Amino acid sequence: MTVRGLRLAPFRGLRYAPERISGLAAVTSPPYDVVVRPDGLRHLETADPYNIVRLILPQAADPAARHRQAAETLHRWRADGVLAQDAEPALYVYEQRKGELLQRGLIGALRLTAPEEGVVLPHEGVIDEVVADRAELMRELAANPEPLLLSYRGDGTRTGATAVIERATRGAPLMATTTEDGFAHRLWAVTDPAELAEVDAELSRHSALIADGHHRWATYLRLRAEQGGGEGSPWNYGLVLLVDTARYPLQVRAIHRVLPRLPLKRALDLLDRAGAAHGEGAAFRVRTLEAPLDEALEELEETPGNAFLLTEGDGVFHLLDRPSPALLARTVDARRPRAWRQLDATVLHSTLLDVVWQVPDRPEHIGYLHHIEAAVEQAATHGGTAVLMRAVPEETVRALAEQGVTMPRKSTSFGPKPATGLVLRTLH
């Protein structure tokens, strides 16, 4: 079969039985890589004994034990009726709302395609160890426990998927809850064959950008290869949320770095030495800002060119900008497109982390945090350095992805992200 574009298939969702839990909000979680460990993990584990975090971030002595534990937990919850499978295959209309922000999309099983087919466009690289861990977990679970977030650009009309979504939201939802972050969530099932065909006819004309979930998408592809997934195999599909950003633009935020083994004083000393060692003058201009966090962030946003905000969590910030052109020429790959070379994340990793600071890109050396306050707090806790970043516009991300150019990993954070635990997909 020739893949024409996005092929989103209905599936029988696995969902919590309301009568068996304290409340839907208490059993949901952010995506696995957004949970701030260990405090965030403990908070979720104590919210309800059936919180989904026990499946996506199981805790045990070693990886194999963790994955077995998650599979045993899922089996037990299904046997006890905590999780029950819907009677009919469906696409699920998913709505998130907070104040003026409204996002709607479709959750379904997306047919997997390789990057060279140009149907699903990654924009970041992945770490093999993380993909291997997620693959072992999903293999043991025989389930996709949480949807990826994918974006596509619709035609701007109220037809096709948009029409199906709007008709669904006029009816009573399958579930509704408000999570502690203030987001209201609602879910509807679309099972009518004519409406499913209407969605397929539109989506098959489009490609999608991976907004959030590169490691999970790579995991889907690895499992398909391992399982020999043919056209009819459940391993040939993966759980996703598809959002039309022509209608519901995503928010794009930065992902910040914490370098727990690099004290701020050493980071600044190495900057001083870097330029002098090659006769290039100052590697970066460094300005000290004794100002509140919000004012320092505003200064960062208004700074032209590459810029970063460093802190050890003591309320003092150091703004790095104006990198030495000679240093950039020596450290940034000139063969890559100009837009890629000018990314803050490119300069951070190619120049600062790889060359000036020589920090290995391993979990014990670099932490990636979505929340500024958490990054600052962790830097203070570990005596390290937080590197606060700026967001990349979605247009830049998509333009690079369409050229087949991947950005440095964890360059962006698209949202709002789907809550984990509202609907799961089994592979049996």
Side-chain angles (χ1 to χ4, degrees):
M1 173 184 171
T2 301
V3 178
R4 293 176 289 143
L6 299 168
R7 307 307 301 273
L8 194 66
F11 69 102
R12 292 178 59 203
L14 189 67
R15 298 187 296 112
Y16 281 99
E19 67 275 10
R20 296 301 311 274
I21 56 176
S22 61
L24 277 168
V27 296
T28 63
S29 163
Y32 80 96
D33 58 341
V34 180
V35 176
V36 180
R37 302 185 228 188
D39 292 344
L41 187 61
R42 283 196 294 268
H43 173 71
L44 292 166
E45 286 180 329
T46 56
D48 187 283
Y50 300 118
N51 189 284
I52 194 69
V53 78
R54 287 180 168 80
L55 300 185
I56 62 171
L57 288 172
Q59 300 300 295
D62 61 81
R66 288 199 299 271
H67 303 142
R68 286 195 303 270
Q69 177 179 297
E72 290 165 2
T73 300
L74 177 58
H75 178 77
R76 185 172 64 253
W77 288 359
R78 294 186 69 180
D80 293 346
V82 175
L83 289 168
Q85 202 151 26
D86 287 339
E88 293 182 80
L91 294 180
Y92 295 86
V93 173
Y94 177 44
E95 177 188 276
Q96 294 162 276
R97 186 189 294 268
K98 184 178 182 180
E100 298 297 314
L101 191 155
L102 173 66
Q103 179 171 288
R104 288 171 174 162
L106 286 166
I107 295 177
L110 186 68
R111 189 183 189 279
L112 304 182
T113 55
E116 58 268 20
E117 296 179 69
V119 176
V120 175
L121 305 171
H123 69 268
E124 293 181 358
V126 296
I127 301 174
D128 286 342
E129 293 85 350
V130 177
V131 175
D133 179 77
R134 289 291 103 184
E136 182 60 32
L137 175 66
M138 287 191 209
R139 193 184 302 112
E140 288 283 346
L141 289 174
N144 300 149
E146 49 185 336
L148 286 65
L149 176 61
L150 272 62
S151 70
Y152 72 100
R153 299 288 294 178
D155 302 327
T157 62
R158 290 175 176 262
T159 59
T162 295
V164 171
I165 289 171
E166 293 192 354
R167 285 196 296 268
T169 58
R170 296 185 196 124
L174 291 175
M175 53 72 52
T177 190
T178 300
T179 45
E180 61 181 17
D181 58 5
F183 273 94
H185 308 261
R186 294 197 294 172
L187 198 72
W188 295 262
V190 177
T191 58
D192 180 78
E195 293 200 315
L196 295 175
E198 193 174 349
V199 170
D200 183 63
E202 181 192 353
L203 293 183
S204 65
R205 302 195 306 269
H206 295 288
S207 61
L209 176 74
I210 301 177
D212 185 69
H214 284 80
H215 286 91
R216 282 166 284 167
W217 181 256
T219 297
Y220 292 166
L221 294 176
R222 176 176 294 195
L223 290 172
R224 178 180 69 168
E226 291 177 0
Q227 301 292 331
E231 180 58 36
S233 168
W235 298 94
N236 198 35
Y237 296 80
L239 186 63
V240 306
L241 166 64
L242 269 174
V243 174
D244 177 1
T245 53
R247 191 155 187 81
Y248 300 105
L250 295 176
Q251 297 179 325
V252 189
R253 294 190 173 92
I255 300 178
H256 312 285
R257 276 65 168 161
V258 175
L259 314 176
R261 299 187 180 183
L262 181 69
L264 178 62
K265 183 179 185 305
R266 176 160 176 76
L268 296 174
D269 287 346
L270 289 171
L271 277 170
D272 286 341
R273 297 179 199 168
H278 291 267
E280 297 166 350
F284 282 77
R285 181 175 71 166
V286 182
R287 288 178 285 158
T288 301
L289 307 177
E290 295 187 13
L293 175 59
D294 57 347
E295 291 183 18
L297 290 170
E298 185 176 344
E299 185 74 19
L300 173 65
E301 290 292 341
E302 293 176 354
T303 300
N306 298 117
F308 312 92
L309 198 61
L310 273 55
T311 182
E312 59 184 355
D314 60 351
V316 178
F317 302 92
H318 302 269
L319 182 63
L320 274 59
D321 70 340
R322 298 185 184 177
S324 159
L327 177 62
L328 295 184
R330 181 163 54 86
T331 56
V332 177
D333 189 348
R335 297 167 297 178
R336 305 298 293 274
R338 183 181 180 187
W340 181 90
R341 299 197 307 269
Q342 293 178 337
L343 293 169
D344 285 348
T346 294
V347 173
L348 173 64
H349 283 264
S350 298
T351 303
L352 285 169
L353 293 173
D354 290 354
V355 176
V356 176
W357 294 332
Q358 297 184 14
V359 176
D361 194 357
R362 294 198 291 269
E364 63 269 28
H365 291 276
I366 304 179
Y368 295 87
L369 283 87
H370 292 72
H371 302 291
I372 292 173
E373 293 78 6
V376 172
E377 181 182 339
Q378 283 208 10
T381 300
H382 297 290
T385 300
V387 183
L388 306 183
M389 308 283 289
R390 300 178 294 194
V392 181
E394 182 183 358
E395 296 76 18
T396 301
V397 177
R398 185 176 292 275
L400 286 170
E402 288 173 348
Q403 297 174 52
V405 177
T406 56
M407 299 165 63
R409 70 185 190 86
K410 301 295 184 184
S411 295
T412 59
S413 175
F414 285 85
K417 305 178 192 302
T420 298
L422 298 181
V423 60
L424 293 72
R425 173 179 174 259
T426 61
L427 292 162
H428 287 323

